[in-house]
Amino acid sequence: MKKGMSAVYPGSFDPPTNGHLDIIARSSHLFPEIIVAVTDNVNKKHIFSLQERINLLRKSIKHLNNVSVLSFSGLLAVYLNEIQSFILIRGLRAISDFEYEFQMALMNRKLNRKIETVFLIPDRAYTFLSSSMVKEIAMLGGDTADFVPECVEKELKERVLSLSKDKYAK
Ligand code: ADP
């Protein structure tokens, strides 16, 4: 590994889960600097705004002093070129992630040949965990304490409550 190389971990993080945090912690031991890059993808329906997702991530990673949280919009390959950082971190949970991630990695390399994707495998406890699953559990009134950081759990509960109030007010 070249000295001083930073790596970028992109994602939606709606909301950040313990699986994301596991990948961030692992990558923070491998690279001198990690940039968690939160996508501002307007086509995706998020329950937390971009700024809320950034704040939740910042609160959750404050013990890791080589990690920062930023946002980007548009094509990831263009963003990586802008910040001159060409190592991408992605998490692989199971075979089911593989096909999509493989395609993305090859497409990013096609868009910019400097981009190298590094796949990390989380602790076994998180291999079944996804943001959408966590949202679904919260919506159905389940306990998400084992799946997300404490700050996320609290905000998620409040958000789900206000969303269901909105729904019934209509
Ligand atoms: P995206 O919308 O880009 O898939 P996500 O926030 O869902 O964004 O995920 C970002 C990255 O984190 C992806 O590489 C995804 O595979 C990985 N990831 C998500 N959940 C987990 C988990 N529980 N364990 C390991 N990696 C994960």
Side-chain angles (χ1 to χ4, degrees), residues 91-154:
L92 267 191
R93 281 163 291 197
I95 306 282
S96 49
D97 274 343
F98 180 77
E99 193 150 344
Y100 173 72
E101 292 292 343
F102 184 70
Q103 205 178 353
M104 282 259 289
L106 289 180
M107 181 50 86
N108 279 322
R109 183 185 284 165
K110 173 82 187 144
L111 292 171
N112 187 333
R113 105 189 137 76
K114 287 191 194 161
I115 298 174
E116 217 49 86
T117 307
V118 175
F119 293 105
L120 296 178
I121 296 168
D123 188 286
R124 214 163 36 152
Y126 306 128
T127 51
F128 59 90
L129 193 55
S130 67
S131 296
S132 46
M133 189 89 85
V134 165
K135 281 184 275 195
E136 202 160 327
I137 294 169
M139 299 276 191
L140 297 171
D143 185 3
T144 58
D146 285 346
F147 310 133
V148 294
E150 222 178 300
C151 60
V152 173
E153 192 205 350
K154 193 170 157 278

Side-chain angles (χ1 to χ4, degrees), residues 12 30 34 36 51 59 72 79 95 105 166 170:
S12 317
L30 291 174
I34 301 295
V36 180
Q51 196 54 53
K59 274 188 207 163
F72 75 100
Y79 174 67
I95 306 282
D166 283 356
K170 277 179 192 158

Side-chain angles (χ1 to χ4, degrees), residues 23-40:
I23 297 294
I24 295 172
R26 281 171 204 281
S27 49
S28 77
H29 298 136
L30 291 174
F31 297 95
E33 190 198 352
I34 301 295
I35 297 164
V36 180
V38 187
T39 58
D40 188 13

